[in-house]
Amino acid sequence: MKNVVIALSMLTLTACSTMQPPRYSVSVDNVQTLKSLTEVKGEFVSLNEPAKFSSNCRLMGPIEPADGLSISQFITKAFNDELKMADKYSKDEVKVTGDITKIEFSSISGVTSGYWDISLNLKSTNGKSLAVNNKYSFKSGFDAITACNATADALSPAVQDLIKATLSHPEFTDLMKHS
């Protein structure tokens, strides 16, 4: 009986945790790609949250980005950080808004793997639009603590990969080109 009480106490204590991914880290490859796109200049203004997204990871609690940012603010800031590092950020040029049309994660895909699946519809003040989706896979873990922490840690590289997919899209330059 004592073991059951201890196990329930541990479950209760861990169920209240919030997993916080590290702050976004700029991708050198994304910056290099942006630097090679001579006509690109602008800023990402905002992305709307999807209608449904559960940030809860198993019974561990939610995954919430650092600094009190929402997922949409985290992704928007990541795009702008990449543009700034590539010297392509400008409040006076093209402004991009959009919708996160899909965002979901799994901390248990194939027992010890996980993924972040993110899709965006982007719209530019120049009238162009672009739809992009990216599924980023990673190693998670078997137990909830390890898997959920790995899922939180994978958010930043998942967004780096989403940005890479966006930059690689054949219509990205048109989206960011001042008309």
Side-chain angles (χ1 to χ4, degrees), residues 5-16:
V5 171
I6 291 171
L8 287 174
S9 296
M10 292 298 289
L11 182 59
T12 302
L13 290 173
T14 59
C16 297

Side-chain angles (χ1 to χ4, degrees), residues 20-21 23-24 64-70 73 77:
Q20 193 170 73
R23 288 181 172 157
Y24 184 76
E64 297 176 357
D67 302 325
L69 298 176
S70 66
Q73 291 168 329
K77 183 179 180 316

Side-chain angles (χ1 to χ4, degrees), residues 92-111:
D92 301 325
E93 300 288 333
V94 171
K95 297 192 182 307
V96 176
T97 58
D99 300 304
I100 301 172
T101 56
K102 178 182 184 181
I103 182 165
E104 66 181 30
F105 64 83
S106 172
S107 64
I108 184 161
S109 171
V111 183

Side-chain angles (χ1 to χ4, degrees), residues 69-80:
L69 298 176
S70 66
I71 290 286
S72 62
Q73 291 168 329
F74 183 83
I75 295 171
T76 301
K77 183 179 180 316
F79 271 102
N80 286 327

